[in-house]
Amino acid sequence: MRPNYRIAVSLAIAFGIANLLAGTAGNRPIPASTAAVLVSESDFRPFEQDRAALGRLLFYDPILSGNRNISCGTCHHHSLASADGLPLGIGEGGTGIGSERSAPPGRHRIKRRMSRNSPALFNLGANEFRQVFHDGRISVDEKYGNGFDTPAEEFLPNGLSSVLAAQSLFPIIGEIEMGGSPDENRVAAAVNERLDYGWPLIVERIRGIPEYAELFGEAYADIRDGAPLTIVHVANAIGDFVGAEWRSFDSPFDRFLAGDENALTEDQHRGMLLFFGKGECSTCHGGKFFTDHGFHALAVPPLGPGRTRKFDLLPRDVGRMGESDALADAYRFRTPTLRNVALTAPYGHNGAFPDLNSVIAHHVDPLGSLSEWRPDSVALPDADWLEDTDFIVHDDRIEMTRFRAALDIEPVELDAGEIDDLVDFLKALTGEESVHGRLGRPESVPSGLPVD
């Protein structure tokens, strides 16, 4: 056993990794509020098994999209660790998955790329996750009397069982995600009139499929008793599926916390000490799921169409400020969980960094990294008609000055070897059987449409 490990492991179990490292790292103690401790099923919201099974089919069924040609699973695929492996994906109008996804040219070519990187879905069913999306635009909140603060405001229906259920309603009606253009289908045209008008049209489609009618009746007592199928039933099923499918806490690091002193390699152990000590990574990536759920400006190089507001003249993304309208939130993005992070490259809210070494190096020296960053490090799907604007924001001197001034982290002195050790530790956060999901991808869906 390595020096101090027996004491370290017992402390880890009782008090969390922060206390462990206070005794082993030789650095200043780390606040217990950033401690990572053992995760169990009790940390997650409950779910209904039959609803999760139904949600799995809906998740992969293109019937939910405006043009019936894309599903939630297209950008959050089991074979790609619940993400899509792209910096900025291609939603409605694209073909294929992962690195094979492309944007066909021609009259119906896509108008723009996805605004942000498709995040992985691991552990989002945990109780502590109360807001989702990179800017937190869906959150648990009674502001509008329906349990959530969302872009639909008071028009969001009542009865949604979780923040994941609420979240599921928006990609299906997003024009560049799954909805399509108003001139292409009835759903998109209805959404163009008012955000919530598209959902009943999607339900109308589902209601007309006999297998779905049977499955919804089995999953919901009120439907068996004669209540009509609504978008709330659809959303709750998808929410239960996402919340149950990707629960992952069977990594080497979890085994280490549980008492297996051989679970981590020497390199991973050094990286762990750096992570919770000198590297100060746990300042934001603390807790059971390695996130403080906060929003931080990190000077991640901007690219792509951004998430513009009506008065933005050039592509840009002001992050949390776009939702809060608070200047203090400019360029801040939500801290992602790091469990299974080694499986979900590229990194950053826009996929600006292709690997763990480069994104850690950016955290070590944000402004230096920003100055040295080059667009050719980003493997965007080919769409030559978009290339002129993919990186145009870097030509806006005033915008980039504002962008550089908004920074929440300071440089840390780490050499290349220490960065390698941190990468090795992050790999120790990769789950084993859990990364494949509980139910997996279905071979077919009730609509009969192709499954990506």
Side-chain angles (χ1 to χ4, degrees):
M1 181 177 283
R2 301 184 184 97
N4 295 325
Y5 260 35
R6 193 178 305 279
I7 296 174
V9 171
S10 63
L11 285 172
I13 295 171
F15 304 110
I17 196 71
N19 297 313
L20 179 161
L21 293 166
T24 64
N27 295 314
R28 60 181 177 80
I30 296 166
S33 62
T34 66
V37 295
L38 286 166
V39 180
S40 70
E41 289 287 342
S42 65
D43 291 303
F44 293 82
R45 291 185 289 270
F47 69 95
E48 298 289 338
Q49 186 62 54
D50 51 358
R51 293 182 188 178
L54 171 57
R56 167 181 176 250
L57 299 175
L58 293 164
F59 189 86
Y60 273 99
D61 200 331
I63 196 72
L64 270 66
S65 65
N67 291 322
R68 296 176 170 88
N69 60 354
I70 186 173
S71 72
C72 307
T74 304
C75 296
H76 298 283
H77 204 274
H78 275 82
S79 67
L80 295 162
S82 76
D84 66 358
L86 298 171
L88 298 176
I90 295 172
E92 199 325 294
T95 60
I97 63 169
S99 61
E100 300 301 315
R101 191 155 181 80
S102 61
R107 187 166 62 90
H108 296 293
R109 67 189 187 185
I110 64 170
K111 298 177 182 177
R112 54 182 183 143
R113 306 182 191 279
M114 299 287 279
S115 300
R116 293 173 180 155
N117 176 258
S118 295
L121 305 179
F122 291 109
N123 295 324
L124 295 185
N127 292 309
E128 68 178 60
F129 286 87
R130 297 173 59 84
Q131 54 191 6
V132 290
F133 288 120
H134 291 290
D135 54 18
R137 64 184 179 275
I138 309 289
S139 62
V140 176
D141 197 311
E142 284 297 339
K143 181 177 182 179
Y144 295 105
N146 48 33
F148 303 94
D149 183 358
T150 76
E153 299 180 341
E154 69 269 25
F155 300 113
L156 187 78
N158 286 298
L160 295 168
S161 61
S162 70
V163 70
L164 291 176
Q167 182 274 336
S168 73
L169 292 178
F170 293 90
I172 63 178
I173 59 172
E175 180 175 347
I176 66 169
E177 294 169 290
M178 294 173 64
S181 300
D183 60 346
E184 293 177 332
N185 63 79
R186 289 177 60 213
V187 173
V191 171
N192 192 52
E193 185 175 351
R194 201 174 84 180
L195 200 61
D196 60 318
Y197 285 175
W199 293 322
L201 298 179
I202 294 173
V203 172
E204 183 181 302
R205 295 178 181 178
I206 296 171
R207 190 183 291 125
I209 300 172
E211 185 178 351
Y212 272 134
E214 180 179 350
L215 290 170
F216 273 99
E218 293 173 356
Y220 292 96
D222 62 332
I223 292 180
R224 290 197 300 274
D225 293 338
L229 171 64
T230 71
I231 197 64
V232 171
H233 296 105
V234 173
N236 286 343
I238 295 175
D240 271 16
F241 168 68
V242 174
E245 182 70 0
W246 285 287
R247 297 185 177 189
S248 183
F249 45 92
D250 58 345
S251 69
F253 177 71
D254 293 297
R255 295 203 312 274
F256 169 75
L257 284 185
D260 180 358
E261 69 258 29
N262 296 315
L264 301 182
T265 67
E266 293 287 351
D267 294 342
Q268 289 169 342
H269 179 249
R270 289 197 305 271
M272 178 182 69
L273 299 182
L274 286 166
F275 186 95
F276 291 99
K278 177 182 176 182
E280 301 182 4
C281 311
S282 62
T283 302
C284 299
H285 291 287
K288 292 184 177 183
F289 298 100
F290 292 83
T291 173
D292 64 357
H293 302 285
F295 299 86
H296 306 284
L298 306 182
V300 172
L303 64 112
R307 188 170 175 83
T308 55
R309 296 184 290 174
K310 292 180 179 179
F311 46 80
D312 286 330
L313 299 179
L314 286 176
R316 70 169 182 169
D317 195 335
V318 294
R320 181 63 177 164
M321 176 182 164
E323 302 306 313
S324 70
D325 286 327
L327 186 60
D329 288 336
Y331 313 109
R332 286 181 165 177
F333 295 87
R334 188 170 60 87
T335 306
T337 173
L338 296 184
R339 286 184 173 274
N340 297 315
V341 68
L343 304 178
T344 58
Y347 304 103
H349 66 273
N350 54 15
F353 296 102
D355 52 47
L356 287 172
N357 283 82
S358 60
V359 73
I360 293 174
H362 179 79
H363 282 68
V364 168
D365 181 12
L367 295 182
S369 169
L370 176 61
S371 296
E372 296 175 2
W373 183 85
R374 296 294 178 266
D376 59 10
S377 66
V378 181
L380 291 169
D382 289 338
D384 56 13
W385 61 95
L386 299 177
E387 292 175 358
D388 288 344
T389 57
D390 280 336
F391 305 101
I392 195 172
V393 66
H394 289 265
D395 296 331
D396 186 333
R397 181 179 57 81
I398 295 176
E399 173 65 9
M400 291 305 295
T401 298
R402 285 192 293 257
F403 181 79
R404 288 173 176 274
L407 188 62
D408 291 329
I409 56 174
E410 297 181 358
V412 178
E413 291 189 12
L414 296 179
D415 61 32
E418 290 172 316
I419 291 176
D420 286 341
D421 287 341
L422 281 172
V423 170
D424 284 330
F425 172 63
L426 293 180
K427 291 178 179 178
L429 303 181
T430 302
E432 295 175 350
E433 288 303 313
S434 65
V435 302
H436 305 296
R438 293 188 174 189
L439 299 177
R441 167 189 171 275
E443 292 297 321
S444 62
V445 291
S447 70
L449 293 168
V451 178
D452 282 326

